[in-house]
């Protein structure tokens, strides 16, 4: 069978399709638009909120470590949280820049590429965010203790900081091992995918490669 | 891009009329990218995206090109999300057409199934290319919709023809 033979079949299906359409798209549109708008609003609002929170935290932690320049343990804690706060801003800015480029009326390859880039960014952001959640507690404890009691926790109870840091590192390691383990089991991998669509960076990269390959002559 | 602009009553009517005239395109894309159970949802999603994008539509450009871009982008995104979740192929719904035609012939069914199988094993972008080709769009319009050059369209159509030949050899055409 040749491609042009399929054209005839396609046209025959097309004629039948016309007779089978009983849906009223006008009605559907009005009903669906409200739902779509509701779904998109949080995504739009979240980015400026994240930028504002990131800015506030950046200023807060910068002031903290500058005020404690003489104490290396407090400077390290403050700078670490300062960097994480900047990461929050960068994450929201990059996501916003990608979102505003997604105009579905643009050529298919262009938009699919932006969507794939956004997917890759989301996955990276999720994974780095998860690492930050595990590693931030000792720094937060140090900053919290200093601000609430003016004590340097590293001098008073270094074991608390060390054990919290070790716990964080173990958490990162276990998360990594869990990630590797779920990839080996198709069922677990599918479950992870249903929880977080586009779970694998390799998958997102493969998608980008597929799009680039299609666009290449 | 996301802000849904309020349309005047005249625009609303114009949109409804244009959508009605081109509704088959919406359903063809929905049938190409969605499983039978999701087809109606995808058609709705496409219609909603068209409605939201309509305030920015430039009437000096063909409505069909604009519609196809949006419909294919929505369809491909739908396929990717569902493929990631289910890791399943998404077959074209042959039964819809058969059910619509009580006098359908067995030979026609075989050809429809062959077409559906061929489409189902293609990646999302090649499905779009095939759909536009089967719909007798010009190479220029296909290039415009997909965002690739006309030469690339021609090359890829030839590759699709070759793939179809090989697919026919392994799966049988009739």
């Amino acid at each position: 069978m040749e491609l042009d033979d399929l054209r005839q079949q396609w046209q025959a299906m097309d004629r039948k399709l016309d007779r089978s359409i009983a849906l009223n798209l006008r009605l559907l549109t009005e009903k669906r638009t409200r739902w779509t708008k509701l779904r998109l609003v949080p995504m739009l609002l979240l980015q400026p909120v994240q930028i504002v929170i990131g800015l506030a935290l950046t200023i807060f932690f910068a002031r903290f470590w500058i005020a404690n320049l003489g104490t290396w343990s407090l400077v390290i804690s403050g700078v670490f949280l300062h960097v994480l706060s900047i990461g929050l801003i960068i994450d929201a800015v990059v996501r916003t820049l990608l979102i505003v480029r997604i105009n579905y009326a643009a050529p298919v390859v262009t938009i699919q590429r932006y969507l794939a880039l956004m997917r890759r960014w989301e996955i990276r952001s999720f994974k780095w965010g998860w690492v930050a959640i595990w590693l931030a507690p000792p720094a937060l404890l140090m900053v919290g203790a200093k601000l609430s009691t003016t004590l340097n926790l590293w001098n008073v109870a270094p074991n608390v900081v060390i054990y919290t840091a070790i716990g964080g590192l173990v958490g990162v390691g276990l998360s990594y091992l869990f990630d590797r383990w779920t990839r080996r089991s198709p069922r677990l991998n599918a479950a992870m995918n249903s929880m977080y669509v586009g779970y694998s960076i390799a998958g997102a990269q493969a998608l980008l490669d597929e799009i680039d390959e299609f666009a290449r002559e | 891009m996301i802000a849904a602009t309020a349309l005047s009553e005249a625009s609303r009517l114009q949109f409804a009329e244009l959508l009605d005239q081109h509704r088959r395109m919406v359903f063809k894309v929905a049938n190409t990218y969605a499983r039978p159970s999701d087809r109606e949802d995808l058609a709705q999603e496409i219609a909603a995206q068209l409605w939201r994008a309509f305030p920015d539509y430039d009437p000096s450009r063909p409505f069909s090109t604009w519609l196809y871009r949006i419909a294919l982008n929505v369809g491909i995104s739908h396929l990717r999300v569902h493929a990631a979740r289910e890791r399943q192929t998404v077959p074209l719904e042959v039964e819809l057409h058969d059910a619509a035609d009580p006098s359908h012939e067995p030979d026609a069914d075989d050809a429809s199934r062959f077409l559906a199988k061929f489409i189902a094993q293609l990646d999302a972008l090649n499905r779009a290319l095939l759909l536009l080709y089967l719909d007798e769009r010009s190479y220029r319009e296909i290039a415009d919709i997909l965002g690739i050059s006309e030469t690339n369209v021609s090359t890829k159509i030839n590759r699709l023809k070759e793939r179809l030949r090989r697919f026919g050899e392994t799966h049988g055409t009739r």
Side-chain angles (χ1 to χ4, degrees), chain A residues 16 19-20, chain B residues 93-104 109:
Chain A
K16 292 175 192 173
R19 275 177 272 155
S20 72
Chain B
E93 189 185 6
V94 179
E95 291 75 13
L96 171 79
H97 308 291
D98 296 344
D101 182 12
S103 63
H104 64 274
D109 288 355

Side-chain angles (χ1 to χ4, degrees), chain A residues 113-126 198 200-201 204-205 208-209:
Chain A
R113 193 158 202 289
Y114 280 132
L115 287 171
L117 283 170
M118 197 159 91
R119 184 172 162 187
R120 189 176 67 179
W121 182 261
E122 288 287 333
I123 298 159
R124 282 187 175 159
S125 164
F126 177 81
S200 125
I201 289 177
Q205 188 57 51
L208 267 170
D209 292 344

Side-chain angles (χ1 to χ4, degrees), chain A residues 1 3-4 7 9 11 26 28-29 32-33 39 102 104-106 108-109 112 115 207 214-215 217, chain B residues 1 16 28 44-45 51-52 69 73-74 76-77 80 101 112 133-134 145-146 149 152 156 164 173:
Chain A
M1 187 175 277
L3 208 50
D4 290 327
R7 248 185 185 167
Q9 188 56 35
Q11 299 306 333
R26 273 172 282 186
L28 291 175
T29 304
R32 186 77 172 193
T33 305
R39 193 183 53 170
I102 295 170
Y104 271 24
V108 174
V109 168
Q112 291 307 314
L115 287 171
L207 183 59
F214 185 85
E217 285 186 30
Chain B
M1 51 106 219
K28 274 186 272 192
Q44 288 177 345
E45 183 69 32
W51 170 247
R52 285 176 39 232
R69 278 182 174 180
N73 272 317
V74 177
I76 291 170
S77 299
R80 296 213 195 283
D101 182 12
S112 297
Y133 177 79
L134 293 175
I145 291 167
L146 295 181
S149 67
N152 202 4
K156 293 203 179 303
L164 179 67
T173 52

Side-chain angles (χ1 to χ4, degrees), chain A residues 9-113:
Chain A
Q9 188 56 35
W10 183 261
Q11 299 306 333
M13 288 164 73
D14 194 21
R15 286 191 293 276
K16 292 175 192 173
L17 181 65
D18 198 32
R19 275 177 272 155
S20 72
I21 295 170
L23 295 167
N24 185 336
L25 276 177
R26 273 172 282 186
L27 196 65
L28 291 175
T29 304
E30 285 165 13
K31 195 172 74 178
R32 186 77 172 193
T33 305
R34 286 195 293 273
W35 182 81
T36 308
K37 271 195 268 182
L38 284 174
R39 193 183 53 170
L40 290 169
V41 164
M43 191 174 75
L44 269 178
L45 291 180
L46 273 178
Q47 307 316 311
V49 170
Q50 188 174 324
I51 290 171
V52 169
I53 291 171
L55 271 172
L57 290 174
T58 301
I59 294 166
F60 178 80
F61 290 120
R63 288 182 62 182
F64 175 83
W65 69 258
I66 289 167
N68 292 282
L69 267 178
T71 317
W72 66 269
S73 54
L74 293 176
V75 170
I76 290 174
S77 301
V79 168
F80 179 71
L81 294 171
H82 186 176
V83 170
L84 291 186
S85 309
I86 293 171
L88 268 181
I89 299 170
I90 293 171
D91 178 53
V93 169
V94 170
R95 196 177 288 118
T96 304
L97 290 174
L98 286 168
I99 290 171
V100 296
R101 279 173 169 75
I102 295 170
N103 170 9
Y104 271 24
V108 174
V109 168
T110 310
I111 293 310
Q112 291 307 314
R113 193 158 202 289

